[in-house]
């Protein structure tokens, strides 16, 4: 299993350790459905659908590292998070967005020519995305490239 958990902030529940996930299968299924809805909205480049899948108080954090210039700090609120996701993950020519296991839960991977350019850990609350940890730092994405 490929993980980005060592890069997650301290406030991320369970820091990506699936063994600490006490949710039942129904909760995991709901999480997967929410992540698939997020991916579908990105593939359609549909900002309204992105907003609809986000919790009103959603938080996104980008780990861009020095080579990848991104927003610093955290982004709060469905509107701002939807705009960030649209810029980073949606409508990117030559890119493929897939739903894959990220730290043992459904997450997103964006690739161009087989090279990972973003890996997204997704936290959900009920039927909405509540947290996004978006890793863009090329130094942290090497294990996600496809050959």
């Amino acid at each position: 299993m490929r993980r980005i958990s060592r890069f997650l902030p301290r406030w991320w529940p369970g820091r990506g350790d699936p063994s600490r996930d006490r949710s039942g299968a129904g909760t995991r299924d709901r999480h997967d459905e929410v992540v698939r809805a997020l991916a579908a909205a990105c593939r359609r480049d549909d900002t309204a659908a992105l907003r609809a899948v986000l919790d009103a108080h959603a938080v996104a954090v980008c780990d861009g590292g020095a080579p990848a210039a991104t927003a610093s700090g955290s982004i709060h609120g469905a509107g701002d998070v939807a705009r960030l996701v649209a810029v980073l993950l949606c409508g990117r020519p030559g890119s493929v967005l897939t739903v894959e296991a990220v730290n043992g839960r459904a997450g997103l991977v964006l690739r161009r020519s087989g090279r990972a350019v973003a890996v997204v850990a997704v936290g959900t609350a009920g039927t909405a995305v509540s947290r996004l940890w978006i890793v863009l730092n090329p130094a942290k994405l090497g294990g996600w490239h496809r050959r």
Side-chain angles (χ1 to χ4, degrees):
M1 169 180 34
R2 292 175 291 188
R3 303 175 66 80
I4 59 169
S5 59
R6 67 182 175 178
F7 307 118
L8 293 172
R10 293 187 195 283
W11 52 262
W12 191 270
R15 291 201 26 137
D17 182 354
S19 67
R20 294 177 63 183
D21 180 9
R22 303 293 180 230
S23 58
T27 301
R28 284 189 299 274
D29 290 345
R30 186 172 40 236
H31 172 88
D32 293 355
E33 289 174 18
V34 171
V35 173
R36 284 192 297 271
L38 176 65
C42 285
R43 289 182 191 121
R44 291 190 313 268
D45 198 9
D46 185 343
T47 306
L50 283 172
R51 269 187 78 114
V53 76
L54 293 168
D55 181 81
H57 304 288
V59 176
V61 176
C62 292
D63 180 353
T70 59
S72 60
S74 56
I75 307 299
H76 298 265
D80 289 341
V81 171
R83 283 188 289 281
L84 175 71
V85 169
V87 166
L88 295 177
L89 304 177
C90 301
R92 307 292 298 219
S95 297
V96 177
L97 183 69
T98 56
V99 176
E100 299 183 28
V102 176
N103 299 335
R105 307 281 316 255
L108 303 175
V109 180
L110 182 69
R111 290 186 180 87
R112 276 189 217 112
S113 302
R115 297 189 58 80
V117 293
V119 174
V120 183
V122 180
T124 59
T127 60
V129 172
S130 58
R131 297 170 313 278
L132 295 171
W133 179 256
I134 305 169
V135 177
L136 302 163
N137 186 335
K140 297 177 182 178
L141 297 174
W144 292 87
H145 300 323
R146 290 195 174 149
R147 290 163 177 75

